């Protein structure tokens, strides 16, 4: 089961920096993320979601590949690729996986204007290594999780220690 963690940060660049660190850790297989989104509360009060990956792009590429292969069978590979890419993009646009957008927009409305939150759906992680790499570097505040009480307390302790070290 994936674990939902939402941490508020003072601004979008800080949230994006932490996301970048998590992406680097994912490449090294320290953490596996199912979804990651930076939620921004703009100064005008509007909430913007910065998705970390494009499901539409992935689906379009997959559709183009399959369309091209099918097109080869009927001697029209370019037409097959174009139709496949369009179908893949349409399918990807209609599919919403990961954290619910409505939940993230509601969470964003609770943020102070000009701030941001990083919402991650963690499939698995080597907790001690993730916390070690992020410890003491970023001022964040844990705002939502579906973790157990013990896991949440441990995470809150690390985040609060980082905020205390920076402040």
């Amino acid at each position: 089961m994936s674990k939902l963690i939402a941490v508020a940060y003072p601004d979008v660049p800080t949230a994006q920096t932490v996301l970048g660190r998590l992406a680097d850790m994912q490449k090294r297989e320290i953490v596996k993320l199912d979804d990651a989104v930076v939620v921004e509360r703009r100064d005008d009060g509007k909430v913007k979601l910065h998705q970390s990956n494009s499901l539409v792009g992935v689906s379009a590429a997959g559709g183009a590949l399959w369309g091209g292969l099918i097109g080869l069978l009927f001697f029209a590979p370019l037409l097959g690729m174009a139709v496949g890419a369009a179908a893949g993009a349409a399918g990807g646009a209609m599919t919403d996986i990961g954290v619910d957008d409505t939940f993230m927009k509601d969470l964003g409305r609770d943020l102070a204007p000009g701030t941001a939150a990083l919402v991650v759906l963690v499939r698995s992680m080597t907790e001690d290594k993730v916390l070690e790499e992020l410890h003491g570097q970023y001022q964040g505040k844990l705002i939502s999780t579906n973790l157990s009480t013990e896991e949440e307390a441990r995470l809150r302790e690390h985040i609060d220690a980082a905020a205390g070290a920076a402040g």
Side-chain angles (χ1 to χ4, degrees), residues 39-135:
V39 180
E40 174 186 8
R41 173 90 186 267
R42 294 185 171 170
D43 290 329
D44 63 5
K46 291 184 181 178
V47 176
K48 179 172 174 143
L49 303 179
H50 302 269
Q51 303 285 346
S52 65
N53 57 6
S54 172
L55 183 61
V56 173
V58 171
S59 296
L65 174 68
W66 284 108
L69 290 174
I70 292 168
L72 282 173
L73 295 174
F74 297 104
F75 303 107
L78 293 178
L79 178 62
M81 286 176 68
V83 171
M94 295 184 334
T95 304
D96 186 17
I97 60 169
V99 182
D100 181 63
D101 288 355
T102 303
F103 165 79
M104 290 186 290
K105 287 182 179 182
D106 289 344
L107 183 134
R109 286 186 200 96
D110 293 337
L111 295 172
T115 64
L118 176 59
V119 179
V120 292
L121 200 55
V122 180
R123 184 179 326 145
S124 65
M125 72 174 163
T126 307
E127 183 179 329
D128 59 335
K129 289 187 177 189
V130 171
L131 294 175
E132 179 184 315
E133 288 202 30
L134 296 176
H135 183 73

Side-chain angles (χ1 to χ4, degrees), residues 15-29:
Q16 289 175 332
T17 299
V18 175
L19 177 57
R21 295 287 306 273
L22 288 170
D24 178 60
M25 286 185 246
Q26 182 161 287
K27 288 177 191 170
R28 295 181 284 141
E29 297 193 16

